[in-house]
Amino acid sequence: MQRIFKYELEVTDHQTIQMPTGAQILCVQIQGNVPCLWAKVNDEMAPVPREISIYGTGHALRSYPGDYIGTFQMAQGALVFHVYDRGSV
């Protein structure tokens, strides 16, 4: 069944989250001071690890950072982060 799931993100360079196979990432935003990623998933599919990268403005990117998901701000806009999906690992 198709559903929209929320995944809380850590503010770290690279992390792996478990998402159902074929999940479609929709957006990333702050909710209650926590960066969150929303994805459309088929919750009947097996979970797979998915690599997410977060880069602060001005920080060096990998040669292939991944597919851009979105940008979020923290500390009343003083910190700006850009989120990329590097796909299943």
Side-chain angles (χ1 to χ4, degrees):
M1 171 176 284
Q2 293 283 320
R3 300 180 190 273
I4 296 177
F5 280 4
K6 176 179 81 173
Y7 300 88
E8 292 187 359
L9 299 176
E10 297 177 31
V11 181
T12 186
D13 292 345
H14 309 289
Q15 61 198 285
T16 302
I17 57 177
Q18 296 291 321
M19 301 177 79
T21 301
Q24 176 189 357
I25 295 174
L26 301 173
C27 71
V28 62
Q29 296 183 29
I30 292 290
Q31 184 180 45
N33 294 322
V34 176
C36 297
L37 178 150
W38 282 266
K40 182 171 73 171
V41 304
N42 179 340
D43 62 354
E44 297 172 354
M45 299 298 289
V48 294
R50 195 132 166 194
E51 187 177 342
I52 304 295
S53 296
I54 298 177
Y55 297 93
T57 297
H59 292 209
L61 298 173
R62 287 182 174 181
S63 60
Y64 172 69
D67 295 325
Y68 175 75
I69 299 170
T71 295
F72 66 89
Q73 298 180 27
M74 299 185 79
Q76 299 175 6
L79 302 172
V80 181
F81 298 97
H82 313 279
V83 184
Y84 291 82
D85 173 26
R86 292 189 42 87
S88 297
V89 290

Coordinates of all heavy atoms in Angstrom, one line a residue:
M1 N 0.8 -1.2 0.0 CA 0.0 0.0 0.0 C 0.9 1.2 0.0 O 1.9 1.3 0.7 CB -0.9 0.0 1.2 CG -1.6 1.3 1.4 SD -2.8 1.3 2.8 CE -4.1 0.3 2.1
Q2 N 0.5 2.2 -0.8 CA 1.3 3.5 -0.9 C 1.0 4.3 0.4 O -0.2 4.5 0.7 CB 0.9 4.2 -2.1 CG 1.4 3.6 -3.4 CD 2.8 3.8 -3.7 OE1 3.4 4.8 -3.4 NE2 3.5 2.7 -4.1
R3 N 2.0 4.9 1.0 CA 1.8 5.8 2.1 C 2.9 6.8 2.0 O 3.9 6.6 1.3 CB 2.0 5.0 3.4 CG 1.0 3.9 3.6 CD 1.3 3.2 5.0 NE 0.5 2.0 5.1 CZ -0.8 1.9 5.6 NH1 -1.4 3.1 6.0 NH2 -1.4 0.8 5.7
I4 N 2.8 7.9 2.8 CA 3.9 8.8 3.0 C 4.5 8.6 4.4 O 3.7 8.7 5.4 CB 3.4 10.3 2.8 CG1 3.0 10.4 1.3 CG2 4.5 11.2 3.1 CD1 2.4 11.8 1.0
F5 N 5.8 8.3 4.4 CA 6.5 8.1 5.7 C 7.4 9.3 5.9 O 7.9 9.9 5.0 CB 7.3 6.9 5.7 CG 6.6 5.6 5.9 CD1 5.2 5.6 6.0 CD2 7.2 4.4 5.9 CE1 4.5 4.4 6.2 CE2 6.6 3.2 6.1 CZ 5.2 3.2 6.3
K6 N 7.7 9.6 7.2 CA 8.6 10.6 7.6 C 9.8 9.9 8.2 O 9.7 9.0 9.0 CB 8.0 11.5 8.7 CG 8.9 12.6 9.2 CD 8.2 13.5 10.2 CE 8.2 12.8 11.6 NZ 7.6 13.7 12.6
Y7 N 11.0 10.4 7.9 CA 12.3 9.9 8.4 C 13.0 11.1 9.0 O 13.3 12.1 8.3 CB 13.1 9.3 7.3 CG 12.4 8.1 6.6 CD1 11.6 8.4 5.6 CD2 12.6 6.8 7.1 CE1 11.0 7.3 4.9 CE2 12.0 5.8 6.5 CZ 11.1 6.0 5.4 OH 10.5 5.0 4.8
E8 N 13.3 11.0 10.3 CA 14.1 12.1 11.0 C 15.6 11.9 10.5 O 16.1 10.8 10.4 CB 14.0 12.0 12.5 CG 12.6 12.4 12.9 CD 12.5 12.5 14.5 OE1 13.5 12.3 15.2 OE2 11.4 12.8 14.9
L9 N 16.3 13.0 10.2 CA 17.7 13.0 9.8 C 18.5 13.6 10.9 O 18.2 14.5 11.7 CB 17.8 13.9 8.6 CG 17.0 13.4 7.3 CD1 17.2 14.4 6.2 CD2 17.5 12.0 6.9
E10 N 19.8 13.1 11.0 CA 20.8 13.6 11.8 C 21.5 14.7 11.0 O 21.6 14.6 9.8 CB 21.8 12.6 12.3 CG 21.2 11.5 13.1 CD 22.2 10.4 13.4 OE1 23.4 10.7 13.6 OE2 21.8 9.2 13.5
V11 N 22.0 15.7 11.7 CA 22.8 16.7 11.0 C 24.2 16.2 11.0 O 25.0 16.5 11.9 CB 22.6 18.1 11.6 CG1 23.5 19.2 10.8 CG2 21.2 18.5 11.6
T12 N 24.5 15.4 10.0 CA 25.8 14.8 9.8 C 26.1 14.7 8.3 O 25.2 14.7 7.5 CB 25.9 13.4 10.6 OG1 27.2 12.9 10.5 CG2 25.0 12.4 9.9
D13 N 27.4 14.5 8.0 CA 27.8 14.5 6.6 C 27.1 13.4 5.8 O 26.5 13.6 4.7 CB 29.3 14.4 6.4 CG 30.0 15.6 6.8 OD1 29.4 16.7 7.0 OD2 31.2 15.5 7.0
H14 N 27.1 12.2 6.3 CA 26.6 11.0 5.6 C 25.9 10.1 6.6 O 26.3 9.9 7.7 CB 27.7 10.3 4.9 CG 28.5 11.1 4.0 ND1 28.1 11.7 2.9 CD2 29.8 11.6 4.2 CE1 29.0 12.4 2.3 NE2 30.1 12.4 3.1
Q15 N 24.7 9.6 6.2 CA 24.0 8.6 7.0 C 23.2 7.7 6.1 O 23.0 8.0 4.9 CB 23.0 9.4 7.9 CG 21.9 10.2 7.2 CD 21.3 11.2 8.2 OE1 20.5 10.8 9.0 NE2 21.7 12.5 8.0
T16 N 22.9 6.5 6.7 CA 22.1 5.5 5.9 C 20.8 5.3 6.7 O 20.8 5.1 7.9 CB 22.9 4.2 5.9 OG1 24.2 4.5 5.2 CG2 22.2 3.2 5.1
I17 N 19.7 5.4 5.9 CA 18.4 5.1 6.5 C 17.8 4.0 5.8 O 18.1 3.7 4.6 CB 17.5 6.4 6.5 CG1 17.3 6.9 5.1 CG2 18.1 7.5 7.4 CD1 16.4 8.1 5.0
Q18 N 16.9 3.2 6.5 CA 16.2 2.1 5.9 C 14.9 2.6 5.3 O 14.1 3.2 6.0 CB 15.9 1.0 6.9 CG 17.2 0.4 7.5 CD 17.9 -0.5 6.5 OE1 17.3 -1.2 5.7 NE2 19.2 -0.4 6.5
M19 N 14.7 2.4 4.0 CA 13.5 2.8 3.3 C 13.0 1.6 2.5 O 13.8 0.9 1.9 CB 13.7 4.0 2.4 CG 14.2 5.2 3.1 SD 14.6 6.6 2.0 CE 12.9 7.2 1.8
P20 N 11.7 1.5 2.3 CA 11.2 0.4 1.4 C 11.8 0.6 0.0 O 12.0 1.7 -0.5 CB 9.7 0.6 1.4 CG 9.4 1.2 2.7 CD 10.6 2.2 2.9
T21 N 12.1 -0.6 -0.7 CA 12.5 -0.6 -2.1 C 11.6 0.3 -2.9 O 10.4 0.2 -2.8 CB 12.5 -2.0 -2.6 OG1 13.4 -2.8 -1.8 CG2 13.0 -2.1 -4.0
G22 N 12.2 1.1 -3.8 CA 11.4 2.0 -4.7 C 10.9 3.2 -4.1 O 10.1 3.9 -4.7
A23 N 11.2 3.6 -2.8 CA 10.7 4.8 -2.2 C 11.0 6.0 -3.0 O 12.1 6.1 -3.5 CB 11.3 4.9 -0.8
Q24 N 10.1 6.9 -3.1 CA 10.2 8.2 -3.8 C 10.3 9.3 -2.8 O 9.4 9.6 -2.1 CB 9.1 8.4 -4.8 CG 9.1 9.7 -5.5 CD 7.9 10.1 -6.2 OE1 6.9 9.3 -6.3 NE2 7.8 11.2 -6.8
I25 N 11.5 9.9 -2.7 CA 11.7 11.0 -1.8 C 11.0 12.2 -2.3 O 11.1 12.6 -3.5 CB 13.2 11.3 -1.6 CG1 13.8 10.1 -0.9 CG2 13.4 12.6 -0.7 CD1 15.3 10.2 -0.7
L26 N 10.2 12.9 -1.4 CA 9.4 14.0 -1.8 C 10.0 15.3 -1.4 O 10.1 16.3 -2.2 CB 8.0 13.9 -1.1 CG 7.2 12.6 -1.5 CD1 5.9 12.6 -0.6 CD2 6.9 12.6 -3.0
C27 N 10.5 15.5 -0.2 CA 11.0 16.7 0.3 C 11.8 16.5 1.6 O 11.7 15.5 2.3 CB 10.0 17.8 0.4 SG 8.8 17.6 1.8
V28 N 12.5 17.6 2.0 CA 13.1 17.7 3.3 C 12.8 19.0 3.9 O 12.8 20.0 3.2 CB 14.6 17.4 3.2 CG1 15.3 18.4 2.4 CG2 15.2 17.3 4.6
Q29 N 12.4 19.0 5.2 CA 12.0 20.3 5.9 C 12.3 20.1 7.4 O 12.6 19.0 7.9 CB 10.6 20.6 5.7 CG 10.1 20.9 4.3 CD 8.6 21.3 4.3 OE1 8.1 21.8 5.2 NE2 8.0 21.0 3.2
I30 N 12.3 21.2 8.1 CA 12.4 21.2 9.6 C 11.0 21.0 10.2 O 10.1 21.7 9.8 CB 13.1 22.5 10.1 CG1 14.5 22.6 9.6 CG2 13.0 22.6 11.6 CD1 15.4 21.6 10.3
Q31 N 10.9 20.1 11.1 CA 9.7 19.9 11.9 C 10.1 19.9 13.4 O 10.8 19.0 13.8 CB 8.9 18.7 11.5 CG 7.6 18.5 12.2 CD 6.9 17.3 11.8 OE1 7.4 16.2 11.8 NE2 5.6 17.4 11.6
G32 N 9.7 20.9 14.1 CA 10.1 20.9 15.6 C 11.6 20.9 15.8 O 12.1 20.2 16.7
N33 N 12.3 21.7 15.0 CA 13.8 21.8 15.1 C 14.5 20.6 14.7 O 15.7 20.4 15.0 CB 14.2 22.2 16.5 CG 13.7 23.6 16.8 OD1 13.7 24.5 16.0 ND2 13.3 23.9 18.1
V34 N 13.8 19.6 14.0 CA 14.5 18.4 13.6 C 14.4 18.3 12.1 O 13.3 18.4 11.5 CB 13.8 17.1 14.2 CG1 14.4 15.8 13.7 CG2 13.9 17.2 15.7
P35 N 15.5 18.1 11.4 CA 15.4 17.9 9.9 C 14.7 16.6 9.6 O 15.0 15.5 10.2 CB 16.8 17.9 9.4 CG 17.7 17.7 10.6 CD 16.9 18.1 11.8
C36 N 13.7 16.6 8.7 CA 12.9 15.4 8.4 C 12.8 15.3 6.9 O 12.8 16.3 6.2 CB 11.5 15.5 9.0 SG 11.5 15.5 10.8
L37 N 12.8 14.0 6.4 CA 12.6 13.7 5.0 C 11.3 13.0 4.9 O 11.0 12.1 5.7 CB 13.8 12.8 4.6 CG 13.9 12.3 3.2 CD1 15.4 12.1 2.9 CD2 13.2 11.0 3.1
W38 N 10.5 13.3 3.9 CA 9.3 12.6 3.6 C 9.4 11.9 2.3 O 10.0 12.4 1.3 CB 8.1 13.6 3.5 CG 7.6 14.1 4.9 CD1 6.6 13.6 5.6 CD2 8.1 15.2 5.7 NE1 6.5 14.2 6.8 CE2 7.4 15.2 6.8 CE3 9.2 16.1 5.5 CZ2 7.6 16.2 7.8 CZ3 9.4 17.0 6.4 CH2 8.7 17.1 7.6
A39 N 8.9 10.7 2.3 CA 8.9 9.9 1.1 C 7.6 9.1 0.9 O 7.0 8.7 1.8 CB 10.1 8.9 1.2
K40 N 7.3 8.9 -0.4 CA 6.2 8.1 -0.8 C 6.7 6.7 -0.9 O 7.7 6.4 -1.6 CB 5.5 8.5 -2.1 CG 4.3 7.7 -2.5 CD 3.6 8.3 -3.7 CE 4.4 8.1 -4.9 NZ 3.6 8.4 -6.2
V41 N 6.1 5.7 -0.1 CA 6.6 4.4 -0.1 C 5.5 3.4 -0.3 O 4.4 3.7 0.0 CB 7.4 4.1 1.3 CG1 8.5 5.1 1.5 CG2 6.4 4.1 2.4
N42 N 5.9 2.2 -0.7 CA 5.0 1.0 -0.6 C 5.5 0.2 0.6 O 6.5 -0.4 0.5 CB 5.1 0.2 -1.9 CG 4.2 -1.0 -1.9 OD1 3.8 -1.5 -0.9 ND2 4.0 -1.6 -3.1
D43 N 4.7 0.3 1.6 CA 5.1 -0.3 2.9 C 5.2 -1.8 2.9 O 5.6 -2.5 3.8 CB 4.3 0.2 4.1 CG 2.9 -0.1 4.0 OD1 2.4 -0.6 3.0 OD2 2.1 0.2 5.0
E44 N 4.8 -2.4 1.8 CA 4.8 -3.9 1.6 C 6.2 -4.3 1.0 O 6.4 -5.5 0.9 CB 3.6 -4.4 0.8 CG 2.3 -4.1 1.5 CD 1.1 -4.4 0.6 OE1 1.3 -4.8 -0.6 OE2 0.0 -4.3 1.1
M45 N 6.9 -3.4 0.5 CA 8.2 -3.7 -0.1 C 9.3 -3.9 1.0 O 9.2 -3.2 2.1 CB 8.7 -2.6 -1.0 CG 7.7 -2.4 -2.2 SD 7.6 -3.8 -3.3 CE 9.1 -3.8 -4.1
A46 N 10.3 -4.7 0.7 CA 11.4 -4.9 1.7 C 12.2 -3.6 1.9 O 12.5 -2.9 0.9 CB 12.3 -6.0 1.2
P47 N 12.7 -3.4 3.1 CA 13.5 -2.2 3.3 C 14.9 -2.4 2.8 O 15.4 -3.5 2.8 CB 13.5 -2.0 4.8 CG 13.2 -3.4 5.3 CD 12.4 -4.1 4.3
V48 N 15.5 -1.3 2.3 CA 16.9 -1.3 1.8 C 17.6 -0.1 2.4 O 17.0 0.9 2.7 CB 17.0 -1.3 0.2 CG1 16.4 -2.6 -0.4 CG2 16.3 -0.1 -0.3
P49 N 18.9 -0.2 2.6 CA 19.6 1.0 3.1 C 19.8 2.0 2.0 O 20.0 1.7 0.8 CB 21.0 0.4 3.5 CG 21.1 -0.9 2.7 CD 19.7 -1.4 2.4
R50 N 19.6 3.3 2.4 CA 19.7 4.4 1.4 C 20.6 5.4 2.0 O 20.4 5.8 3.1 CB 18.3 5.0 1.2 CG 18.2 5.8 0.0 CD 17.0 5.4 -0.8 NE 16.7 6.5 -1.8 CZ 15.5 6.5 -2.5 NH1 14.6 5.6 -2.2 NH2 15.3 7.4 -3.3
E51 N 21.6 5.9 1.2 CA 22.6 6.8 1.7 C 22.1 8.3 1.4 O 21.8 8.6 0.3 CB 23.9 6.6 1.0 CG 25.0 7.4 1.6 CD 26.4 7.2 1.0 OE1 26.6 6.1 0.4 OE2 27.3 8.0 1.2
I52 N 22.1 9.0 2.5 CA 21.7 10.5 2.4 C 23.0 11.3 2.8 O 23.6 11.0 3.8 CB 20.6 10.8 3.4 CG1 19.4 9.9 3.1 CG2 20.2 12.2 3.4 CD1 18.7 10.1 1.7
S53 N 23.3 12.3 2.1 CA 24.4 13.2 2.4 C 23.9 14.6 2.7 O 22.9 15.1 2.0 CB 25.4 13.3 1.2 OG 26.0 12.0 1.0
I54 N 24.4 15.3 3.6 CA 24.1 16.6 4.0 C 25.3 17.5 4.0 O 26.3 17.2 4.6 CB 23.4 16.7 5.4 CG1 22.1 15.9 5.4 CG2 23.1 18.1 5.8 CD1 21.4 15.8 6.8
Y55 N 25.2 18.6 3.2 CA 26.3 19.6 3.1 C 25.9 20.9 3.6 O 24.9 21.4 3.1 CB 26.8 19.7 1.6 CG 27.3 18.4 1.1 CD1 26.4 17.5 0.4 CD2 28.6 18.0 1.2 CE1 26.9 16.3 -0.1 CE2 29.1 16.8 0.7 CZ 28.2 16.0 0.0 OH 28.7 14.8 -0.5
G56 N 26.7 21.6 4.4 CA 26.5 22.9 4.8 C 26.9 23.9 3.6 O 27.8 23.5 2.8
T57 N 26.3 25.0 3.5 CA 26.7 26.0 2.5 C 28.1 26.3 2.6 O 28.7 26.5 3.7 CB 25.8 27.3 2.7 OG1 24.5 27.0 2.5 CG2 26.3 28.4 1.7
G58 N 28.8 26.2 1.5 CA 30.3 26.5 1.5 C 31.2 25.3 1.7 O 32.4 25.4 1.5
H59 N 30.6 24.2 2.1 CA 31.4 23.0 2.3 C 31.6 22.3 0.9 O 30.8 22.3 0.0 CB 30.7 22.0 3.2 CG 30.6 22.6 4.6 ND1 30.5 21.8 5.7 CD2 30.5 23.8 5.1 CE1 30.5 22.5 6.8 NE2 30.5 23.8 6.5
A60 N 32.7 21.5 0.9 CA 33.1 20.8 -0.4 C 32.1 19.7 -0.6 O 31.7 18.9 0.3 CB 34.5 20.3 -0.3
L61 N 31.7 19.5 -1.9 CA 30.9 18.4 -2.3 C 31.7 17.2 -2.8 O 32.8 17.4 -3.3 CB 29.9 18.8 -3.4 CG 28.9 19.9 -3.1 CD1 28.2 20.3 -4.4 CD2 27.9 19.4 -2.1
R62 N 31.2 16.0 -2.7 CA 31.8 14.8 -3.3 C 31.7 15.1 -4.8 O 30.9 15.9 -5.3 CB 31.0 13.6 -3.0 CG 31.2 13.0 -1.6 CD 30.4 11.7 -1.5 NE 30.6 11.1 -0.2 CZ 30.1 10.0 0.1 NH1 29.3 9.3 -0.7 NH2 30.3 9.4 1.3
S63 N 32.5 14.3 -5.6 CA 32.5 14.5 -7.1 C 31.0 14.2 -7.6 O 30.6 14.8 -8.5 CB 33.5 13.6 -7.7 OG 33.2 12.2 -7.4
Y64 N 30.4 13.2 -7.0 CA 28.9 13.0 -7.2 C 28.2 13.0 -5.9 O 28.2 12.0 -5.2 CB 28.7 11.7 -8.0 CG 27.2 11.4 -8.1 CD1 26.4 12.1 -8.9 CD2 26.6 10.4 -7.3 CE1 25.0 11.9 -9.0 CE2 25.3 10.1 -7.4 CZ 24.5 10.9 -8.3 OH 23.1 10.6 -8.4
P65 N 27.6 14.1 -5.5 CA 27.0 14.2 -4.2 C 25.7 13.4 -4.2 O 25.2 13.0 -3.1 CB 26.7 15.7 -4.0 CG 26.6 16.2 -5.4 CD 27.6 15.4 -6.2
G66 N 25.1 13.1 -5.3 CA 23.8 12.4 -5.3 C 22.7 13.3 -6.0 O 23.0 14.4 -6.5
D67 N 21.5 12.9 -5.9 CA 20.4 13.7 -6.4 C 19.9 14.7 -5.3 O 19.7 14.3 -4.2 CB 19.2 12.8 -6.8 CG 19.6 11.8 -8.0 OD1 20.3 12.3 -8.9 OD2 19.1 10.7 -8.0
Y68 N 19.8 15.9 -5.7 CA 19.4 17.0 -4.8 C 18.0 16.7 -4.3 O 17.1 16.5 -5.1 CB 19.5 18.3 -5.5 CG 19.0 19.5 -4.6 CD1 19.8 19.9 -3.6 CD2 17.8 20.1 -4.9 CE1 19.3 21.0 -2.8 CE2 17.3 21.1 -4.1 CZ 18.1 21.6 -3.1 OH 17.6 22.6 -2.3
I69 N 17.8 16.8 -3.0 CA 16.4 16.6 -2.4 C 15.9 17.9 -2.0 O 14.7 18.3 -2.3 CB 16.5 15.7 -1.2 CG1 17.0 14.3 -1.5 CG2 15.1 15.6 -0.5 CD1 17.3 13.4 -0.3
G70 N 16.7 18.7 -1.3 CA 16.2 20.0 -0.8 C 17.1 20.7 0.2 O 18.2 20.1 0.5
T71 N 16.7 21.8 0.7 CA 17.5 22.6 1.6 C 16.7 22.9 2.8 O 15.5 23.1 2.7 CB 17.9 23.9 0.9 OG1 18.8 23.6 -0.2 CG2 18.7 24.9 1.8
F72 N 17.4 22.9 4.0 CA 16.7 23.3 5.2 C 17.6 24.2 6.0 O 18.8 24.2 5.8 CB 16.3 22.1 6.1 CG 17.4 21.2 6.6 CD1 18.0 21.5 7.9 CD2 17.9 20.1 5.9 CE1 19.0 20.8 8.4 CE2 18.9 19.4 6.4 CZ 19.5 19.7 7.7
Q73 N 17.0 25.0 6.9 CA 17.7 26.0 7.7 C 17.5 25.7 9.2 O 16.4 25.2 9.6 CB 17.2 27.4 7.4 CG 17.5 27.8 6.0 CD 17.0 29.2 5.7 OE1 16.9 30.1 6.6 NE2 16.6 29.5 4.5
M74 N 18.5 26.0 10.0 CA 18.4 25.8 11.4 C 19.0 27.1 12.1 O 19.6 27.9 11.4 CB 19.2 24.6 11.9 CG 18.7 23.3 11.3 SD 19.5 21.8 11.9 CE 18.7 21.7 13.5
A75 N 18.8 27.2 13.4 CA 19.3 28.4 14.1 C 18.8 29.7 13.5 O 19.6 30.6 13.3 CB 20.9 28.3 14.2
Q76 N 17.6 29.7 13.2 CA 16.9 30.9 12.7 C 17.6 31.4 11.4 O 17.7 32.6 11.2 CB 16.9 32.0 13.7 CG 16.1 31.6 15.0 CD 16.1 32.7 16.1 OE1 16.7 33.8 15.9 NE2 15.6 32.3 17.2
G77 N 18.0 30.4 10.6 CA 18.6 30.7 9.3 C 20.1 30.9 9.3 O 20.7 31.1 8.2
A78 N 20.7 30.8 10.4 CA 22.2 31.0 10.5 C 22.9 29.8 9.9 O 24.0 30.0 9.4 CB 22.6 31.2 11.9
L79 N 22.3 28.6 9.9 CA 22.9 27.4 9.4 C 22.0 26.9 8.2 O 20.8 26.8 8.4 CB 23.0 26.3 10.4 CG 23.8 26.7 11.7 CD1 23.7 25.6 12.7 CD2 25.2 26.9 11.3
V80 N 22.6 26.7 7.1 CA 21.8 26.3 5.9 C 22.5 25.0 5.4 O 23.7 24.9 5.1 CB 21.8 27.4 4.8 CG1 21.0 26.9 3.6 CG2 21.2 28.7 5.3
F81 N 21.6 23.9 5.2 CA 22.1 22.6 4.8 C 21.4 22.2 3.5 O 20.2 22.5 3.3 CB 21.9 21.6 5.9 CG 22.6 21.9 7.2 CD1 22.0 22.6 8.2 CD2 24.0 21.6 7.3 CE1 22.7 22.9 9.4 CE2 24.6 21.9 8.5 CZ 24.0 22.5 9.5
H82 N 22.1 21.4 2.7 CA 21.6 20.9 1.4 C 21.7 19.4 1.4 O 22.7 18.8 1.8 CB 22.4 21.6 0.3 CG 22.6 23.0 0.5 ND1 21.6 23.9 0.1 CD2 23.6 23.7 1.0 CE1 22.0 25.2 0.5 NE2 23.2 25.1 1.0
V83 N 20.6 18.7 1.1 CA 20.4 17.3 1.3 C 20.4 16.6 -0.1 O 19.7 17.0 -1.0 CB 19.2 17.0 2.1 CG1 19.1 15.5 2.3 CG2 19.1 17.8 3.4
Y84 N 21.2 15.5 -0.2 CA 21.3 14.7 -1.4 C 21.0 13.3 -1.1 O 21.4 12.7 -0.1 CB 22.7 14.9 -2.0 CG 23.0 16.3 -2.5 CD1 23.4 17.3 -1.7 CD2 22.9 16.5 -3.9 CE1 23.7 18.6 -2.2 CE2 23.1 17.8 -4.4 CZ 23.5 18.8 -3.5 OH 23.8 20.0 -4.0
D85 N 20.4 12.6 -2.1 CA 20.2 11.2 -2.0 C 21.2 10.5 -2.9 O 21.2 10.7 -4.1 CB 18.7 10.9 -2.6 CG 18.4 9.4 -2.7 OD1 19.0 8.6 -2.0 OD2 17.5 9.1 -3.5
R86 N 22.0 9.6 -2.3 CA 23.0 8.9 -3.1 C 22.5 7.5 -3.4 O 23.2 6.7 -4.0 CB 24.3 8.7 -2.3 CG 25.0 10.1 -2.2 CD 26.3 10.1 -1.6 NE 27.2 9.1 -2.0 CZ 28.0 9.1 -3.1 NH1 27.9 10.2 -3.9 NH2 28.8 8.1 -3.4
G87 N 21.2 7.2 -3.1 CA 20.6 5.9 -3.6 C 20.9 4.8 -2.6 O 21.5 4.9 -1.5
S88 N 20.5 3.6 -3.1 CA 20.6 2.4 -2.3 C 22.1 2.0 -2.2 O 22.8 2.1 -3.2 CB 19.8 1.3 -2.8 OG 18.4 1.6 -2.7
V89 N 22.5 1.5 -1.1 CA 23.9 1.1 -1.0 C 24.0 -0.4 -0.9 O 23.1 -1.1 -0.6 CB 24.6 1.7 0.3 CG1 24.8 3.2 0.0 CG2 23.8 1.5 1.5

